[in-house]
Amino acid sequence: MDMMTFTEGQTEVKKVEVSTPSRNGTARMRELTPAQRRAVMFAQQQVLRARAAKKAKDERQAALVRMWQEEDAETTKPRTVIRKRETMGEVKEVSLREAIGHVLRDLRTHDHKTLREVSEKAGVSLGYLSEVERGQKEASSELLASISESLGLSTSQMLRMVADYLDSVDA
């Protein structure tokens, strides 16, 4: 390798010898202690694991984006609303808690948010939020306010949407 040094008015070129390993990295590995070798191997394994984890995360994200795009394509088609459920020949109306759950799930999925994201932001357990969305649990007014705020709505806006849904079901 050539190095250039500048002095007053003249330029000097000096030859500097750099030892290059005969094989990629093997000369450096020979100089390491066994503990250092283990540390290097561990670090390399960690890098490989991190790359694999990042690849898996990117694949999951791509799958979610594809799913959301398919879902958005489906929502542009005319949507049929389930008006009433029939159970053993009887017509059963949708309960308020089922309507609230339906609206909350609809809002969450249209915003492309996961149950985990909404539950963490609202300060509600994931399982409880899931049960509320499925219409299995009654939610308190404080809980509904927290969930609707985490979805970017006021409680009154969310309740208007529930009322509109119930009107569409009764119609």
Side-chain angles (χ1 to χ4, degrees):
M1 171 183 243
D2 293 329
M3 282 186 67
M4 296 180 80
T5 58
F6 295 100
T7 57
E8 293 179 49
Q10 54 178 263
T11 305
E12 272 181 53
V13 176
K14 295 182 182 178
K15 286 275 191 191
V16 178
E17 291 184 29
V18 178
S19 62
T20 56
S22 58
R23 295 182 200 144
N24 294 335
T26 56
R28 286 190 214 144
M29 286 296 280
R30 287 189 195 129
E31 298 169 3
L32 298 177
T33 65
Q36 290 171 326
R37 284 188 193 135
R38 285 192 301 274
V40 167
M41 294 299 288
F42 180 75
Q44 289 171 342
Q45 290 172 350
Q46 292 297 95
V47 167
L48 292 174
R49 286 185 186 130
R51 285 181 184 159
K54 184 179 183 325
K55 182 180 177 184
K57 181 181 177 186
D58 291 343
E59 288 172 355
R60 283 192 306 270
Q61 187 63 34
L64 274 174
V65 168
R66 281 193 306 272
M67 181 185 72
W68 291 333
Q69 288 171 345
E70 290 170 4
E71 197 173 276
D72 288 343
E74 288 176 6
T75 57
T76 57
K77 298 174 186 173
R79 230 172 128 182
T80 58
V81 177
I82 300 174
R83 304 225 176 231
K84 296 181 181 179
R85 295 190 309 186
E86 289 187 30
T87 7
M88 309 247 318
E90 302 174 10
V91 175
K92 182 181 175 189
E93 293 191 19
V94 177
S95 70
L96 179 60
R97 90 170 162 240
E98 290 172 333
I100 290 172
H102 174 80
V103 168
L104 289 177
R105 178 166 285 176
D106 204 35
L107 287 169
R108 180 181 59 80
T109 56
H110 283 317
D111 284 346
H112 302 297
K113 292 183 179 177
T114 63
L115 272 170
R116 185 173 307 281
E117 291 170 339
V118 174
S119 70
E120 287 174 356
K121 195 170 181 182
V124 180
S125 75
L126 187 117
Y128 193 78
L129 179 60
S130 174
E131 289 177 334
V132 169
E133 282 189 356
R134 286 181 281 151
Q136 295 177 343
K137 293 279 185 182
E138 284 287 338
S140 67
S141 58
E142 292 86 9
L143 182 70
L144 287 176
S146 176
I147 295 170
S148 60
E149 284 177 22
S150 69
L151 291 169
L153 296 169
S154 68
T155 309
S156 59
Q157 290 172 320
M158 188 269 302
L159 289 174
R160 281 188 207 109
M161 294 176 82
V162 170
D164 291 342
Y165 174 72
L166 287 171
D167 283 343
S168 71
V169 168
D170 289 339

